[in-house]
Amino acid sequence: MTKLHHVLAALLLMLGLAVPALAQSDDPELIFKKSTVWRMLSPDATLDTYVLDDPVVKGVACYFTVPQVGGWSGWAGFAEERSETSIACRQVGPIQITSKFDQGEEIYRQRRSLFWKKMQIVRGCDPKRNVLVYLAYTDKLIEGSPQNSTSTVPLMPWGNEPAPKCGDFMNP
């Protein structure tokens, strides 16, 4: 190989490493982990608490907790994670809805097993009460996995800013 080939190979390798890092920039932020099962020679089982800013509704943050199995199979990503999840969403600033959305629109998805299970967070709107509704749930392709948790955010004025009407931003 020539020197140019080595340089191109190094650039492609760096680009290949940078692309996944860029793709993870929208991932939720880990707030903390709490160990639930201590393991001497492998990673502990934990409850991991994250925060996720709603990508369409500025001023809303959702905090959710999911269990992590731990052990070497959990560390390697081969373990099927537990289905439980909890969520609490809050208004953390003035509300600005940046685009129209569908009822039950997915705002986040996390793989919970190598192939079959995923945890999702979806958003809806109760236009009569002007409340955003967030649902975190797990599903499994074959058997189902109906673990879920719901949180609501009543849209309120923030300072002198009036609250938008979520029903005005729903797709028909």
Side-chain angles (χ1 to χ4, degrees), residues 3 8 28-29 34 53 59 71 75 83 86 95 106 126 131 134 160:
K3 188 172 184 169
L8 287 174
E29 177 185 341
K34 182 67 180 162
D53 293 315
W75 174 81
S83 296
S86 65
I95 299 292
E106 182 180 287
D126 174 356
V131 173
Y134 293 85
N160 293 331

Side-chain angles (χ1 to χ4, degrees), residues 77-82 110-119 139-141:
F78 295 122
E80 182 166 312
E81 297 291 349
R82 296 179 53 100
Q110 179 185 70
R111 182 179 59 86
R112 301 297 291 155
S113 72
L114 191 57
F115 297 110
W116 311 113
K117 189 187 295 184
K118 62 187 175 299
M119 186 275 294
D139 63 358
K140 191 171 182 179
L141 184 62

Side-chain angles (χ1 to χ4, degrees), residues 31-71:
I31 302 297
F32 67 90
K33 294 181 178 198
K34 182 67 180 162
S35 179
T36 58
V37 176
W38 180 78
R39 297 197 164 109
M40 185 185 320
L41 299 175
S42 65
D44 292 348
T46 60
L47 290 172
D48 298 1
T49 300
Y50 297 90
V51 63
L52 174 72
D53 293 315
D54 187 317
V56 170
V57 183
K58 305 300 178 201
V60 171
C62 292
Y63 295 83
F64 64 96
T65 300
V66 291
Q68 300 295 334
V69 169

